[in-house]
Amino acid sequence: MNNQLYKSHFGTDDKNVIVERFLKTLVDTNRGHEFFVDWQKVRQRIEENKIELNILNSLIGSKTFNKDLTVILEQYPQTLPVIPILIAVRDLKFRVIADFLCETTDYIDYDFNCKKLTSADIHKYILFFEKTGLKYFFENLAAKSIQDYVAGVEVGMDTNARKNRSGDAMEFLLKPIIREISSKIKKVSKVLTQKKFNVLGDYGISVPADLSDRKADFILLMANNNVINIEVNFFSGTGSKPQEIVDSYINRQNELKQCGYDFIWITDGQGWRDQEHQITKGFEKIDYLMNLHLSKSGFLEKVLREI
């Protein structure tokens, strides 16, 4: 670790004291309120399909459902790609078993890409509405607006994305912090997120071939053409082994140093509480290591100003 910077911030460069402060300020979760639903994405999905959804609104409470659906499919084939969303499916092409009770396993292939439909096609989609229960939904359950229903479907589908958001949650939490700090430091000229190192070529900075396709959580371009890579992660105690995690970031720093780049590792999570030996190794080998609390309490800003 960079003893001088740690001493100026903590009043000591005693590694054991710094590790103790690190462990005492670990957080229980990296979930913010925005973790649960990406409302902007839900809104965007509705806006993208609002015309088609308005057309399908005409089926609500229909007394001649098959006839009305036939007219829609004939005159407005652009509604086809919206139909799978009604049953919470993103795919436009998929296969289903025609009848589980049948001795032979026959499949029905559905293609909801926009296209001109034949009478046979329309008949198949009418059966799709009947067998999936969508016809029952329109006739008996739908109220006034399919948009409202699809909004609920999209919220439900978005929960499936939480697994990915959980992995990205540290990035989401730190992005505004890093951007705010960088805006106060004149020598930070650009903040890039989730970019491969080859993007540095766009700014006239050469990148070794073995690093070119590696992705970085954050890349900070400095006015002096220096490059700072900030990597973030959350360790709950499950998943990868702590030794593998620490070693991977030590290796990342060593690779970057060979290119003349600087490296900062921001990590958090209760999983580190029982891994004092490993996190101590991280402090010994990595110049700039901190958790969320230290990042927000001035240490990240101090490091960025001094690098």
Side-chain angles (χ1 to χ4, degrees):
M1 69 183 191
N2 185 309
N3 290 44
Q4 183 178 353
L5 271 179
Y6 279 90
K7 186 173 183 178
S8 66
H9 185 76
F10 292 95
T12 178
D13 59 359
D14 186 323
K15 181 172 70 274
N16 294 325
V17 173
I18 294 170
V19 169
E20 182 181 0
R21 292 186 186 179
F22 175 92
L23 295 174
K24 282 185 176 181
T25 53
L26 292 171
V27 297
D28 293 324
T29 180
N30 59 348
R31 295 179 179 182
H33 288 89
E34 70 285 352
F35 168 83
F36 298 98
V37 179
D38 187 340
W39 291 106
Q40 289 302 315
K41 187 169 73 174
V42 171
R43 180 184 178 186
Q44 181 180 349
R45 298 276 190 186
I46 301 299
E47 286 294 315
E48 288 174 350
N49 300 296
K50 64 180 180 181
I51 294 176
E52 292 78 11
L53 293 173
N54 277 324
I55 293 172
L56 292 176
N57 272 336
S58 63
L59 292 173
I60 294 176
S62 173
K63 302 301 182 183
T64 55
F65 185 87
N66 289 3
K67 179 182 176 181
D68 293 341
L69 179 57
T70 298
V71 172
I72 288 175
L73 294 177
E74 287 177 342
Q75 297 183 9
Y76 306 102
Q78 68 267 31
T79 59
L80 271 173
V82 177
I83 292 171
I85 298 174
L86 302 178
I87 55 170
V89 173
R90 292 269 187 238
D91 299 329
L92 295 180
K93 288 185 177 182
F94 51 86
R95 171 179 287 183
V96 299
I97 294 177
D99 188 350
F100 271 107
L101 299 179
C102 185
E103 290 184 5
T104 59
T105 305
D106 294 327
Y107 300 101
I108 301 177
D109 291 305
Y110 290 101
D111 182 354
F112 289 91
N113 286 289
C114 181
K115 59 185 178 295
K116 187 174 182 179
L117 302 175
T118 65
S119 297
D121 290 332
I122 291 174
H123 177 69
K124 183 167 73 171
Y125 290 116
I126 289 174
L127 287 177
F128 178 84
F129 270 75
E130 291 176 352
K131 290 181 177 294
T132 59
L134 280 175
K135 179 177 179 179
Y136 178 83
F137 165 74
F138 276 99
E139 289 180 331
N140 301 283
L141 298 178
K144 296 181 180 180
S145 169
I146 296 301
Q147 286 92 328
D148 292 344
Y149 164 75
V150 171
V153 170
E154 288 289 348
V155 169
M157 294 173 74
D158 188 63
T159 61
N160 293 326
R162 286 182 187 170
K163 183 177 181 180
N164 292 332
R165 280 206 295 276
S166 181
D168 296 334
M170 279 287 283
E171 180 190 334
F172 293 148
L173 284 173
L174 281 159
K175 185 184 293 186
I177 296 171
I178 292 173
R179 289 193 180 279
E180 181 183 1
I181 292 173
S182 298
S183 68
K184 297 187 292 184
I185 303 174
K186 291 183 178 180
K187 66 178 181 177
V188 179
S189 59
K190 193 79 173 178
V191 178
L192 306 173
T193 61
Q194 284 298 311
K195 298 291 185 181
K196 292 182 178 179
F197 281 99
N198 58 20
V199 74
L200 295 175
D202 297 339
Y203 301 91
I205 301 173
S206 61
V207 182
D210 58 349
L211 188 64
S212 181
D213 286 331
R214 299 277 296 277
K215 182 176 282 189
D217 291 333
F218 299 92
I219 298 175
L220 275 61
L221 304 182
M222 313 301 281
N224 57 3
N225 267 352
N226 188 24
V227 174
I228 302 173
N229 171 210
I230 301 178
E231 290 296 307
V232 305
N233 80 307
F234 188 85
F235 181 52
S236 62
T238 60
S240 301
K241 295 180 180 179
Q243 180 179 344
E244 294 174 351
I245 296 172
V246 174
D247 287 346
S248 70
Y249 288 110
I250 292 173
N251 292 335
R252 168 64 73 97
Q253 175 178 265
N254 293 340
E255 291 174 337
L256 294 175
K257 278 190 170 183
Q258 292 177 6
C259 305
Y261 306 161
D262 286 299
F263 177 69
I264 298 171
W265 179 27
I266 304 175
T267 186
D268 216 305
Q270 293 297 318
W272 293 120
R273 284 202 181 279
D274 298 325
Q275 300 297 331
E276 183 173 346
H277 174 71
Q278 291 300 327
I279 208 66
T280 298
K281 181 173 72 173
F283 273 100
E284 290 173 345
K285 301 292 185 180
I286 295 176
D287 292 341
Y288 311 106
L289 170 58
M290 63 193 80
N291 58 20
L292 279 170
H293 171 76
L294 298 178
S295 302
K296 296 187 292 182
S297 62
F299 188 55
L300 177 58
E301 181 174 349
K302 182 183 291 289
V303 169
L304 292 179
R305 288 187 182 278
E306 295 298 325
I307 288 181

